[in-house]
Amino acid sequence: METFESDGHVIVRLDRGDLALESLTDACENHDVDTGVVVSGIGTFSNLNVHYVNRTDLPEEKADRNIQLTLDGSWEVTNVGGIVADGEPHLHVTAFNGDRTVGGHLETGCEVNVLGEFTIRKLDDFSLHRQPGENAVSQLQRR
């Protein structure tokens, strides 16, 4: 991983073998990004770990409402975006493997296959954090 910072933006270059979410979390820590927006993310992963909500009734247990996907093979990442609150990225991803398009909440363990390029916009004028809301859904709040 290599990072570059200019004018409130942190550019993150991930190389083969880097872990996407873990590296972006490290970049936020290294560049003091407490609150920010991931405005751009592209690359390829050699595996894809995501979850998505598959229900509308939202049972209390998160395990009962989320589908976890762990997919091997090369995945072309067409978009990663989300919010950083309390220094923690909450990101969603869209990726394609030549036959299937998958989208969902980016999880740990996604290894970069060829490259990854991400842009984080730091927001220094206010702070956001997440706290449990209705149905144990994590909600953004102004700190």
Side-chain angles (χ1 to χ4, degrees):
M1 173 179 77
E2 188 165 353
T3 60
F4 315 89
E5 185 171 352
S6 177
D7 193 31
H9 292 81
V10 178
I11 307 296
V12 181
R13 186 197 78 216
L14 301 182
D15 301 313
R16 186 174 177 86
D18 288 339
L19 297 176
L21 184 57
E22 295 86 337
S23 296
L24 292 169
T25 301
D26 289 346
C28 288
E29 182 178 332
N30 295 342
H31 290 272
D32 297 319
V33 179
D34 178 70
T35 300
V37 181
V38 176
V39 295
S40 174
I42 56 117
T44 60
F45 294 162
S46 57
N47 62 304
L48 185 63
N49 299 322
V50 297
H51 83 262
Y52 65 94
V53 177
N54 73 329
R55 302 176 62 154
T56 59
D57 58 339
L58 297 181
E60 282 299 314
E61 290 297 318
K62 288 185 178 185
D64 292 338
R65 62 181 168 198
N66 291 333
I67 298 292
Q68 182 77 33
L69 297 176
T70 301
L71 304 167
D72 291 325
S74 181
W75 290 87
E76 185 70 23
V77 176
T78 59
N79 186 51
V80 174
I83 302 287
V84 178
D86 289 327
E88 294 292 324
H90 177 131
L91 305 176
H92 286 238
V93 60
T94 305
F96 178 67
N97 74 349
D99 294 317
R100 179 179 183 189
T101 301
V102 174
H105 178 97
L106 185 66
E107 294 289 347
T108 59
C110 295
E111 187 175 330
V112 172
N113 184 25
V114 177
L115 66 84
E117 297 173 344
F118 301 86
T119 303
I120 303 167
R121 172 71 173 139
K122 293 172 71 169
L123 301 174
D124 293 325
D125 12 346
F126 72 104
S127 293
L128 296 174
H129 71 114
R130 294 186 181 279
Q131 64 184 39
E134 188 177 339
N135 295 349
V137 174
S138 178
Q139 296 179 329
L140 284 174
Q141 303 288 325
R142 191 173 205 140
R143 190 170 8 164

